Amino acid sequence: MPELPEVETVVRGLAQRVAGDVIQSVWLGEKPQTFKSPPPVIAATLEGARIRSVRRMGKHIVFDLEHNSRGAAHWIVHLGMTGRMLVSPPEAGLEKHTHAIARLASGRELRFVDPRRFGRLSVVQDFTTVGVEPLEISFEQFAPLFRKRNTPIKSALLNQKLLRGVGNIYADESLFRAAIRPRRRAASLSRTELRRLYNAVRQVLRKAIAAGGSSISDYVDVEGAPGSFHFQHHVYGRAGEPCLRCRALIKRIVVAGRGTHYCPKCQK
Ligand SMILES: [Zn+2]
């Protein structure tokens, strides 16, 4: 599932390529679960709108739209597990599982492709979402999120009402770098440990953005290129392999229903 760094990579690619462009017409597929707003409303909102900017909020892609007659609106895309937003020349062959196409005045097409169909498209007047952006907060804003929480720290990191955009991969990688066991109760973390975790989450997310995200399952950026951060994973997906720091074997357990990877020696 695309997490913050993958969505950020897609958003940067989209911002470079389609900001300022105008959506001339829209084609929407027939699979109803892809559309969180009624398809006719999505089409009416997008057609004729200028894409003022493209930005990320948590794991959502937000297209800020301007429309001469209807004013401002937002087109929200959530990639779900396998969703992709591609910027394609019109002559490029249509991929299987294409659910939406926005034809742009520049001649290119924005295509939403999603084989497993957990992705969602919607349009809204105002877009707000809960949680805070991990790369935009100070340590003084970060530490209180975990106070009095009796859930495992891994679950707290995955809780989108606290931090936006951190998913399974980056939670495991951050906890390894902070030397904290995923099952530790969030409230039991000392201030020093929270400081290490704060630094680790930000470092992991920044490095992953710089690498264009992690490509597991079928994540690719807007031009279909994979990211490379999975080559820097220390624990995620490495169960049974030696820890890169101490050579102990990486363990896999289940926390919050998710496969969780950690080093039993390095993480306390
Ligand atoms: Zn280790």
Side-chain angles (χ1 to χ4, degrees), residues 176 243 245-246 248 263 265-266:
F176 175 77
C243 170
R245 206 176 273 159
C246 77
C263 171
K265 249 178 127 178
C266 291

Side-chain angles (χ1 to χ4, degrees), residues 11-144:
V11 160
R12 289 182 184 184
L14 290 170
Q16 269 175 22
R17 288 165 184 81
V18 305
D21 219 326
V22 173
I23 300 173
Q24 287 189 322
S25 63
V26 173
W27 171 88
L28 301 173
E30 310 213 311
K31 303 288 187 218
Q33 64 268 53
T34 300
F35 306 106
K36 219 171 134 187
S37 308
V41 175
I42 296 180
T45 307
L46 265 52
E47 282 178 349
R50 193 178 82 93
I51 301 169
R52 192 159 43 81
S53 49
V54 189
R55 60 198 164 92
R56 181 187 60 75
M57 269 178 89
K59 298 183 197 174
H60 297 90
I61 300 168
V62 181
F63 292 86
D64 299 309
L65 305 176
E66 257 169 6
H67 204 286
N68 284 341
S69 53
R70 282 192 296 276
H74 310 281
W75 176 23
I76 311 299
V77 177
H78 193 287
L79 298 172
M81 290 184 72
T82 55
R84 286 181 284 152
M85 277 306 272
L86 300 173
V87 181
S88 309
E91 65 274 15
L94 211 54
E95 283 197 47
K96 220 177 157 185
H97 309 293
T98 298
H99 303 298
I101 302 173
R103 296 177 195 89
L104 304 173
S106 62
R108 294 165 306 172
E109 294 183 350
L110 253 176
R111 298 178 181 176
F112 180 69
V113 180
D114 187 11
R116 295 194 58 187
R117 301 205 298 264
F118 288 99
R120 296 287 178 266
L121 307 185
S122 60
V123 289
V124 290
Q125 289 301 313
D126 294 297
F127 187 60
T128 51
T129 178
V130 290
V132 289
E133 289 287 336
L135 291 175
E136 290 170 15
I137 56 168
S138 66
F139 176 66
E140 297 311 323
Q141 293 167 288
F142 179 84

Side-chain angles (χ1 to χ4, degrees), residues 58 207 222:
K207 281 191 172 176
V222 289

Side-chain angles (χ1 to χ4, degrees), residues 159-199:
N159 185 344
Q160 300 296 304
K161 291 176 189 157
L162 302 177
L163 286 179
R164 291 183 200 148
V166 179
N168 208 31
I169 298 175
Y170 300 109
D172 283 5
E173 292 298 318
S174 300
L175 286 167
F176 175 77
R177 284 162 173 84
I180 296 166
R181 285 212 183 187
R183 274 206 183 119
R184 282 275 305 278
R185 284 190 306 126
S188 77
L189 267 58
S190 68
R191 200 170 161 81
T192 311
E193 287 172 323
L194 284 170
R195 171 75 71 178
R196 286 208 306 265
L197 184 59
Y198 171 75
N199 290 333

Side-chain angles (χ1 to χ4, degrees), residues 200-243:
V201 167
R202 292 161 65 90
Q203 188 197 47
V204 163
L205 293 175
R206 285 213 184 94
K207 281 191 172 176
I209 291 170
S214 300
S215 286
I216 52 162
S217 75
D218 50 5
Y219 161 76
V220 288
D221 68 12
V222 289
E223 290 189 323
S228 66
F229 189 71
H230 47 290
F231 296 120
Q232 297 180 52
H233 290 176
H234 287 42
V235 287
Y236 184 85
R238 298 193 65 246
E241 293 177 38
C243 170

